[in-house]
Amino acid sequence: MDERGYLIIIGGAEDKHGESEILRQAPQMLSEGELLTVLTTATEHPEEAGANYERTFRRLGVRRIQILHIETRCDAEEESNCELIRASKCIFITGGDQLRITSILGGTRAYTELKNCYARGGIIIGTSAGASVMSSTMVVEGMDNEPARKCTLKMAPGLGLVGGVIIDQHFDQRGRFGRLLCGVAENPDVLGIGIDEDTAIKLYPDLHFEILGSNAVTIIDGSSIQGSNVSESNANEILAIMGVTVHALPKGYGFTLSDRKVLRLNDGN
């Protein structure tokens, strides 16, 4: 039976030049000789992004690194590219545009190999757009720094590595509480996870996660919602919602997806 691996889901703007607590997870989790692949599909500047992350991971002690540019669906069907993914223990998905990731990779051989890497115990790391695509349903577009309004959020299928959640990134820094709240109001069974910059969740095979980094993770649990106006007819009006549960958690805390419980791990020092 396949063994689920690890997801490290980063809210963007992670520290690349200092202690790099989040990115340092890669060398800590990789064994000698295991391969890390930087996948640049999300960005329109793949050479620059690939080179920047290669420098960072080498500085942190990763010995085997390859940069994989999959820029078209034809690239995603190439056996040589699929073989590179098959050979990888860790795949790092850069930021950019999450629709580039899903529209280029979705349904291809490369996508199958990416899922297989995770299913056999591999490590998938994604930042910014690379974080949003981890879930089955992802945020594509919404209003930043605005009150929650009905019918203003656009969502699309993600890569489906973790189900039952919607992930938003650059969360507090771009004022995205309102748009994630709308997503949960429309899908109360789905857990909203908003990840701040230089912050990540590390999801373990048993589907609990811990928080890493310098800021916080906001969790919006719609299972307790008593009522909302999200299904009423007037579009773009202010959202009314009652009874929603919200957790704000920094490093030292965690959460279990199976029973939606907060975990107190350690003091984070």
Side-chain angles (χ1 to χ4, degrees):
M1 183 175 177
D2 287 340
E3 177 187 357
R4 186 187 291 115
Y6 293 80
L7 300 180
I8 299 177
I9 307 175
I10 310 171
E14 68 280 359
D15 175 19
K16 301 179 187 66
H17 306 292
E19 289 298 313
S20 304
E21 175 195 348
I22 297 169
L23 296 182
R24 195 176 292 277
Q25 289 289 312
Q28 290 174 354
M29 297 174 72
L30 289 170
S31 299
E32 183 73 25
E34 290 183 325
L35 177 64
L36 181 149
T37 292
V38 177
L39 182 62
T40 62
T41 303
T43 177
E44 295 182 352
H45 306 283
E47 300 288 345
E48 178 183 354
N52 286 341
Y53 278 107
E54 181 174 12
R55 281 194 297 271
T56 297
F57 283 122
R58 289 203 185 280
R59 178 180 68 82
L60 295 174
V62 180
R63 294 181 178 271
R64 292 189 65 208
I65 304 170
Q66 66 183 2
I67 311 301
L68 182 56
H69 303 310
I70 294 181
E71 300 182 55
T72 67
R73 290 184 64 81
C74 288
D75 292 343
E77 296 289 355
E78 284 287 337
E79 170 58 25
S80 58
N81 290 332
C82 293
E83 176 55 35
L84 291 176
I85 297 174
R86 253 192 316 273
S88 304
K89 179 66 174 181
C90 178
I91 298 170
F92 180 90
I93 306 172
T94 70
D97 181 347
Q98 51 263 47
L99 274 179
R100 280 183 56 85
I101 302 172
T102 54
S103 64
I104 291 172
L105 295 183
T108 65
R109 295 177 64 203
Y111 172 52
T112 298
E113 294 298 344
L114 180 68
K115 290 192 298 181
N116 288 344
C117 175
Y118 178 52
R120 65 174 179 263
I123 307 157
I124 311 295
I125 307 174
T127 185
S128 191
S132 289
V133 297
M134 297 280 196
S135 55
S136 298
T137 302
M138 67 179 184
V139 176
V140 174
E141 185 179 336
M143 299 173 67
D144 294 352
N145 293 304
E146 291 285 342
R149 295 181 185 272
K150 295 163 52 181
C151 305
T152 56
L153 186 68
K154 294 182 181 179
M155 292 187 285
L159 295 180
L161 298 177
V162 56
V165 301
I166 302 171
I167 296 165
D168 211 348
Q169 20 80 9
H170 300 281
F171 190 68
D172 183 65
Q173 290 74 18
R174 298 188 186 178
R176 290 179 167 174
F177 183 87
R179 77 181 202 176
L180 187 59
L181 188 64
C182 281
V184 173
E186 293 173 6
N187 304 273
D189 62 323
V190 172
L191 198 71
I193 302 177
I195 308 175
D196 290 350
E197 293 178 355
D198 192 38
T199 307
I201 64 172
K202 180 179 181 181
L203 183 66
Y204 286 76
D206 66 358
L207 298 182
H208 88 276
F209 65 75
E210 66 174 308
I211 290 126
L212 307 170
S214 61
N215 289 302
V217 172
T218 300
I219 299 169
I220 303 178
D221 184 352
S223 63
S224 61
I225 291 174
Q226 298 164 1
S228 78
N229 67 347
V230 75
S231 64
E232 297 170 12
S233 58
N234 296 328
N236 296 314
E237 70 183 29
I238 298 292
L239 176 71
I241 188 167
M242 291 73 73
V244 67
T245 300
V246 178
H247 308 287
L249 305 175
K251 179 180 176 181
Y253 287 82
F255 197 81
T256 56
L257 294 184
S258 57
D259 57 5
R260 300 190 174 194
K261 299 293 186 183
V262 174
L263 304 173
R264 184 70 169 95
L265 302 176
N266 54 53
D267 61 10
N269 294 328

